[in-house]
Amino acid sequence: DAGITQSPRHKVTETGTPVTLRCHQTENHRYMYWYRQDPGHGLRLIHYSYGVKDTDKGEVSDGYSVSRSKTEDFLLTLESATSSQTSVYFCAISERGPGAFETDTQYFGPGTRLTVL
Amino acid sequence: SQQGEEDPQALSIQEGENATMNCSYKTSINNLQWYRQNSGRGLVHLILIRSNEREKHSGRLRVTLDTSKKSSSLLITASRAADTASYFCATSRPGAQKLVFGQGTRLTINP
């Protein structure tokens, strides 16, 4: 795992509580991503960041917010967790964005398993 | 709908045999990547093939890309038990800010 850590690795919480997941990288990569992985849906992009304080929505962003105040940290917040947000969350990083011809590969963290009761 | 769709969804073979997985997509792409995910772990990049390439090799991996058919295949030769994992294709479209992943092929190598 290319210098990417996620915390916590496991969390159980109750419906309606706020939850923050942290992604930390030591690679100084410009792009950071949050995905969720669910059976039958594969990997879906929640939000991504293309620089400090520069973020944008992915395909399943409702109910999630993100912040990036430093190059190395990308936070994902569930303002009020719901059972539908029970999932495995992956952070990923890349040097270049996906739209360029010379697309960089993405490096993934180990994941956070979140259960919302 | 997903840009990349893998086929088959699951594949079980004997150790030593070759495994072939396919990926189809819908729109023009810059490149296509293959990733592997072991159970309970994050995805690991295997190989990237650009839209102007037709075939690429990396060790026991061979990837082909047919842009006219909008499809790619991943061949793993001489499979090993350690190859047991899920394999995902991911496509990058011109100007897009995200990769789009398929739902994966679950590969099981039987000893």
Side-chain angles (χ1 to χ4, degrees), chain A:
Chain A
D1 299 328
I4 309 169
T5 56
Q6 293 184 230
S7 58
R9 293 293 313 280
H10 302 271
K11 186 170 182 66
V12 180
T13 191
E14 295 188 349
T15 298
T17 60
V19 176
T20 295
L21 308 183
R22 179 179 183 244
C23 176
H24 179 77
Q25 60 148 329
T26 57
E27 307 296 324
N28 201 36
H29 282 3
R30 178 182 175 190
Y31 288 81
M32 299 186 75
Y33 312 83
W34 277 107
Y35 293 90
R36 60 178 289 175
Q37 186 175 36
D38 306 286
H41 291 279
L43 213 63
R44 293 180 292 175
L45 182 66
I46 305 171
H47 281 280
Y48 66 96
S49 169
Y50 46 98
V52 173
K53 299 192 189 307
D54 292 323
T55 65
D56 206 348
K57 296 178 180 180
E59 59 187 305
V60 289
S61 59
D62 287 348
Y64 301 95
S65 62
V66 290
S67 66
R68 191 170 178 198
S69 59
K70 298 185 291 184
T71 299
E72 57 266 34
D73 290 325
F74 193 31
L75 303 181
L76 176 70
T77 297
L78 290 65
E79 302 291 347
S80 178
T82 68
S83 58
S84 65
Q85 293 175 312
T86 292
S87 186
V88 181
Y89 292 85
F90 288 100
C91 174
I93 64 174
S94 67
E95 282 191 308
R96 290 185 290 269
F101 187 71
E102 292 291 327
T103 297
D104 247 357
T105 62
Q106 291 189 9
Y107 299 94
F108 284 78
T112 294
R113 184 172 295 276
L114 176 67
T115 302
V116 183
L117 302 175

Side-chain angles (χ1 to χ4, degrees), chain B residues 35-111:
Chain B
Y35 288 80
R36 182 188 72 228
Q37 183 180 33
N38 292 93
S39 181
R41 306 289 296 274
L43 278 70
V44 174
H45 178 259
L46 294 176
I47 195 165
L48 179 152
I49 185 165
R50 295 189 171 83
S51 59
N52 60 354
E53 297 175 315
R54 292 297 167 257
E55 187 171 313
K56 206 161 182 181
H57 296 257
S58 176
R60 294 184 296 113
L61 305 181
R62 172 177 170 255
V63 170
T64 61
L65 180 64
D66 187 334
T67 53
S68 67
K69 295 181 179 178
K70 292 185 169 58
S71 67
S72 173
S73 67
L74 171 67
L75 168 68
I76 303 174
T77 60
S79 63
R80 305 168 182 169
D83 295 327
T84 293
S86 292
Y87 291 82
F88 296 86
C89 67
T91 53
S92 164
R93 292 157 55 190
Q97 289 298 317
K98 62 178 184 177
L99 291 181
V100 179
F101 287 82
Q103 294 191 25
T105 292
R106 175 68 188 170
L107 175 65
T108 301
I109 308 300
N110 301 303

